[in-house]
Amino acid sequence: MSGWTFERPPALPLPQPSEESAPFWEALKERRLVVQRCAACGAISHPPRAKCGSCGAMEFVWQESEGRGEVHSYVITHQAVHPALRGYTPFATVEVALDEGVHITSNLIDTPPEQVAIGQRVQVEFLDVGEGVVLPVFRRRRGK
Amino acid sequence: MSFSNAVAVAGVGETDYSRDSGRTELALSLQAIGAALDDAGIAAAEVDGLMKWFVDTSSEAEVAVNLGIPDLAWFGEINQAGNVGAPLVAHAAAAIHAGLANTIVIYRGVNGRSGRRYGRGDVTGQGGRGAGAFTEPFGLLTPQHGLAMSARRRMFETGVTSRQFGQQAVIQRKHANRNPRATFHDRPLTLEDHQESRLIVDPFHLFDCCLESDGGGALVLTRPELARERRLDRPLALIRAAAQSGPGQSSPVRRTAARLFAMGGVERSDIDVVQIYDHFGPFVLFALEDYGFVEDAGHFVEDGGTMWDSGKLPVNTSGGHLSEVYLQGMNHLIEGVRQARGESTSQVPNAQLSFVDTGIGTGAVILERSEA
């Protein structure tokens, strides 16, 4: 496994923030992973939404996440079903269940695709991909 | 609320299925509609409603002009991806039941292989916008990526295996081998073929994935009295129940199932034959469990439970999206009607109630045989 490094396919789309999600992407530039917290009932949401799914309130605060969680599921693209992945297969994408209770799609930057496993504890890292965009990615975490 | 069997699917029709139709999508649509109207014994001038797949290019206006429909009283679409077949049937049946129209044609025609291909992300990609901002930058780019993610988790939770997915693919191929219209009519498939086929997006092997196809299909819905008048000596398929579940709902299968079986006043065990939307074969197994047909679909399929002749609950008897054609649920509806009328190439003996899902919970119908 030494020698394996994550290489992000440069043709993958970059996130185009919406009005609701802009603070999420802005916080990443400061190397902070934030999740949306309902100002009324405290329910956590991700991706950001306009109206709380639990109580219906429309006021939110941004709460910094611990950035810890576990791999909930994963896929490995073997055939470049999209041109952006040509030359970059096999390519793993993971769904991380954050300890705050929400799920986030990401990549593992220290784990070759064949070693990705459900239940793996992970910790957020920040990947500067240029053009003022920082993506939340993860690495394996020992213990809890 | 119930349709009380007040609406019939009077006719079904399709084009030939291919990888390169050499025709426009409008031509495919019109050819399929012509076949369905012939099957129903209804003239184009009698049609007063048109509904189409939102993603299709042939508008109701173009089709109305080409068919020579003098008075289009009802038209519409449902703004979703391809999984709108049963919801369109529900809308059309509700319109007929309410007296807004008498005879509605639901149609589609697509060059889904030679033209815009769904599996390539260029039709469905969002360029990092909207919900895509949170998935596409990390390599989830096509419908199958998200579906593979949930399939992988389901394998972890229930222990269902790729071999069991393969068993269903093999059974559907056997059905396709009996169906001369099917793309894979002449090509057998073994479990070893499935297991050795290349991984596309793990856990999906090649033979877990639907075809990409050129073709068209159409359904004619009308009042049973008119349908009966034109099909004097043949059984009819009546709409016993229809239900749908909106986009973004959690557990859509369970929601749709609750409404559908309540409306139909029937139990799962009353259903004789089932069609399930198989964009990816593993979802047939998941849906069989979530609709409440079986508890352990993996072992049910392994034991041949979905075979047309020997299975307890035959599933995807025309070959489905995996082996017949990928018309996004239209072919499932056509096959469901044929089963209710006793006309399938893999006919389930004495089928009375025929169930069709057209989107893993986005919508489903129960069709009922009515004797001539």
Side-chain angles (χ1 to χ4, degrees), chain B residues 3 5 7 9 84-94 106 219 221 237-245 256-257 259-261 263-264 266 271-277 291 293 329-330 332-337 340 352-368:
Chain B
F3 290 126
N5 287 344
V7 183
V9 183
V84 293
L88 286 169
V89 171
H91 284 226
I106 300 172
L219 311 168
L221 273 64
L238 302 179
I239 298 173
R240 174 87 178 225
Q244 57 188 90
S245 185
T256 292
R259 284 191 280 271
L260 184 76
F261 287 100
M263 180 192 256
V266 297
I271 300 294
D272 298 300
V273 56
V274 166
Q275 316 300 324
I276 292 177
Y277 195 92
Y291 271 114
F293 286 117
M330 175 59 92
H332 295 71
L333 288 163
I334 292 172
E335 174 66 8
V337 169
Q352 295 295 316
L353 292 175
S354 170
F355 171 100
V356 185
D357 162 280
T358 63
I360 313 298
T362 58
V365 296
I366 297 172
L367 301 162
E368 179 170 7

Side-chain angles (χ1 to χ4, degrees), chain A residues 16-77:
Chain A
Q16 306 296 319
S18 66
E19 212 162 303
E20 271 104 25
S21 72
F24 173 85
W25 300 109
E26 285 300 314
L28 286 166
K29 293 185 195 171
E30 301 162 4
R31 304 179 79 78
R32 293 187 302 124
L33 176 66
V34 297
V35 290
Q36 205 186 26
R37 183 170 189 277
C38 174
C41 76
I44 305 285
S45 302
H46 181 84
R49 40 192 298 157
K51 196 166 162 63
C52 175
S54 297
C55 77
M58 296 179 76
E59 298 293 326
F60 297 94
V61 294
W62 294 94
Q63 170 179 314
E64 186 156 351
S65 164
E66 297 285 334
R68 295 177 193 164
E70 67 175 47
V71 175
H72 180 78
S73 190
Y74 64 93
V75 303
I76 299 168
T77 303

Side-chain angles (χ1 to χ4, degrees), chain A residues 16 72-73 76-79 93, chain B residues 128 138 145 149 198 200 202:
Chain A
Q16 306 296 319
H72 180 78
S73 190
I76 299 168
T77 303
H78 286 267
Q79 180 168 312
T93 304
Chain B
F138 307 96
H145 279 119
M149 191 73 89
R198 66 184 185 274
I200 305 298
D202 189 1

Side-chain angles (χ1 to χ4, degrees), chain A residues 8 12-17 21 24-25 46-48 70-85 91-95 105-107 118-119 135-137, chain B residues 119-122 125-142 144-154 156-157 198-203 206:
Chain A
R8 184 174 186 276
L12 283 176
L14 292 177
Q16 306 296 319
S21 72
F24 173 85
W25 300 109
H46 181 84
E70 67 175 47
V71 175
H72 180 78
S73 190
Y74 64 93
V75 303
I76 299 168
T77 303
H78 286 267
Q79 180 168 312
V81 291
H82 187 283
L85 293 172
F91 184 81
T93 304
V94 296
E95 179 180 330
T105 301
S106 188
N107 303 116
I118 291 177
L135 297 176
V137 291
Chain B
R120 297 295 165 100
D122 47 354
Q126 302 172 77
R129 281 178 290 277
F134 294 92
T135 54
E136 292 176 348
F138 307 96
L140 293 193
L141 296 154
T142 64
Q144 68 178 305
H145 279 119
L147 293 162
M149 191 73 89
S150 81
R152 167 66 66 196
R153 181 68 195 183
R154 185 112 175 189
F156 176 80
E157 286 176 355
R198 66 184 185 274
L199 283 161
I200 305 298
V201 175
D202 189 1
L206 175 66

